[in-house]
Amino acid sequence: MSKIVAYLRVSTDRQGKAGNGIEAQRATITGFAAANGYEIAQEFVETETGKGADALDRRPELKAALDKAKEVGRREKRSGPVPVVVSKLDRLSRDVHFVSGLMSNRVPFIVTELGADVDPFMLHLYAAFAEKERNLISQRTKAALAAKKARGEPLGSPKLAEARQIAHAILIRNADAAAANVRPILDSLGDMSANTKAKALNERNVPTPRGGKWTARSVLNALGRT
């Protein structure tokens, strides 16, 4: 069974902590490997905010994936490194110069959505198309905002503002419901201090409305909601 190295990436700290996109990328690469007879030698997960041709300096996990691909290739006595597999091309970059720089490492890349047989030249083309599309979207967005501003219209999306209001209302409702559920436990603790009540709730493994640990502040917030 041929070996591959899996590379997964999210673009911000918030996405990394929340796991947004990582499980989907992992499922895609795992399914691709199973369908095409590959064995994943190792998985590398990156949280990165750098952009541009020099972004490799700010992607230690990608560099580690490249090194691992070379190491596995030597261990397997191959003529070169094993492939590094990503779910989509933008998990590497939308910058054609950055993608071109990666090719200079002599490590083959496989993009699951493009298939296993796409050669490096085609990856350059796809990256160029992606970069061009990104630039066109940016230009159209700036032009639309400028035209809207010239007409004296407020910037921003009314639908987005409405969605935020709905989300905020749901958050408040859920917090109120969670506080109501925990209120009987708080009442049963009597006249203890907020710190002592927080410790008692944590010892009972009672989660806060957001699923975290209780503090004196969160206890007071819960009491204030009911």
Side-chain angles (χ1 to χ4, degrees):
M1 194 176 256
S2 300
K3 298 281 200 314
I4 58 173
V5 173
Y7 177 70
L8 296 71
R9 181 177 71 91
V10 288
S11 300
T12 66
D13 290 337
R14 184 188 305 174
Q15 286 179 319
K17 291 175 183 176
N20 294 338
I22 288 295
E23 290 304 324
Q25 292 178 55
R26 180 175 292 122
T28 297
I29 294 175
T30 301
F32 175 85
N36 291 274
Y38 289 113
E39 178 184 349
I40 299 175
Q42 191 168 338
E43 174 187 285
F44 294 85
V45 179
E46 189 105 72
T47 300
E48 170 273 337
T49 57
K51 296 179 181 179
D54 63 343
L56 187 58
D57 293 337
R58 298 189 293 277
R59 292 201 204 172
E61 293 302 313
L62 178 55
K63 186 178 185 306
L66 295 172
D67 292 342
K68 186 66 177 181
K70 296 173 183 177
E71 175 196 323
V72 174
R74 290 193 297 269
R75 190 170 66 237
E76 298 288 318
K77 293 181 170 53
R78 291 170 51 103
S79 58
V82 300
V84 173
V85 180
V86 296
S87 60
K88 295 183 178 182
L89 185 59
D90 64 6
R91 294 306 83 201
L92 288 177
S93 178
R94 291 187 180 93
D95 186 295
V96 65
H97 297 294
F98 180 60
V99 172
S100 177
L102 289 177
M103 299 304 168
S104 67
N105 285 274
R106 306 297 182 188
V107 175
F109 285 90
I110 295 177
V111 181
T112 63
E113 68 175 356
L114 302 179
D117 299 324
V118 176
D119 61 35
F121 175 72
M122 291 303 297
L123 286 182
H124 280 86
L125 287 181
Y126 283 120
F129 290 147
E131 182 177 336
K132 183 66 174 177
E133 180 184 19
R134 180 187 61 187
N135 291 335
L136 288 174
I137 290 173
S138 176
Q139 291 171 10
R140 287 195 295 266
T141 300
K142 290 178 180 178
L145 289 174
K148 194 171 185 180
K149 184 177 181 180
R151 293 193 299 266
E153 299 178 11
L155 301 181
S157 169
K159 290 185 177 180
L160 179 59
E162 181 182 355
R164 286 174 176 167
Q165 289 177 353
I166 292 173
H168 183 64
I170 292 173
L171 183 65
I172 291 176
R173 186 170 67 244
N174 290 343
D176 288 342
N181 289 335
V182 80
R183 184 58 188 259
I185 302 176
L186 292 173
D187 290 342
S188 71
L189 296 176
D191 295 328
M192 294 180 180
S193 68
N195 275 323
T196 303
K197 288 184 178 182
K199 182 178 179 181
L201 290 172
N202 290 329
E203 288 175 347
R204 298 184 187 188
N205 294 319
V206 177
T208 65
R210 294 188 178 184
K213 295 291 186 181
W214 288 93
T215 64
R217 172 56 59 187
S218 56
V219 167
L220 294 174
N221 287 342
L223 291 171
R225 287 184 175 276
T226 55

